[in-house]
Amino acid sequence: MTDFKRISPEQAQALRSQGGVVVDIRDTHSYANGHIAGSSHLDNHSLPDFIAAADLDQPLIVTCYHGHSSQSAAAYLAHQGFSDVYSLDGGFELWRQTYPDQIETGEPT
């Protein structure tokens, strides 16, 4: 059974530079007010399309507010067939402190 790993913002940044995908599971309003540059918003509505279109072997980094909810979501995605899944320790809040220049705003597309 595949599982997820916990990852620091620094490790996540390195994975992003190697093609890792970031998904943000926070509510739409929070995502719109600021999210990791290049991340996708993932919720119950977008999940089926995301899974159908995803490369299951590409590293996948899941973020939430503080790194707690993302662990459950990462475990779920690992069980959906993603082979390399990570939960971002400290979530978006720690990322924002660590990489303030890597934040975008705007509604999910």
Side-chain angles (χ1 to χ4, degrees), residues 14-87:
L15 265 183
R16 283 178 70 222
S17 69
Q18 299 166 8
V21 173
V22 179
V23 293
D24 189 321
I25 63 165
R26 296 175 303 143
D27 68 88
T28 303
H29 181 73
S30 296
Y31 178 88
N33 284 333
H35 52 269
I36 297 172
S39 66
S40 298
H41 186 247
L42 195 60
D43 61 16
N44 289 335
H45 300 291
S46 62
L47 182 62
D49 289 339
F50 174 78
I51 291 173
D55 177 349
L56 300 179
D57 294 322
Q58 195 169 25
L60 180 64
I61 304 160
V62 183
T63 188
C64 61
Y65 297 96
H66 299 104
H68 303 292
S69 300
S70 59
Q71 292 179 47
S72 297
Y76 174 81
L77 290 165
H79 292 290
Q80 297 308 303
F82 288 87
S83 61
D84 201 15
V85 184
Y86 302 87
S87 171

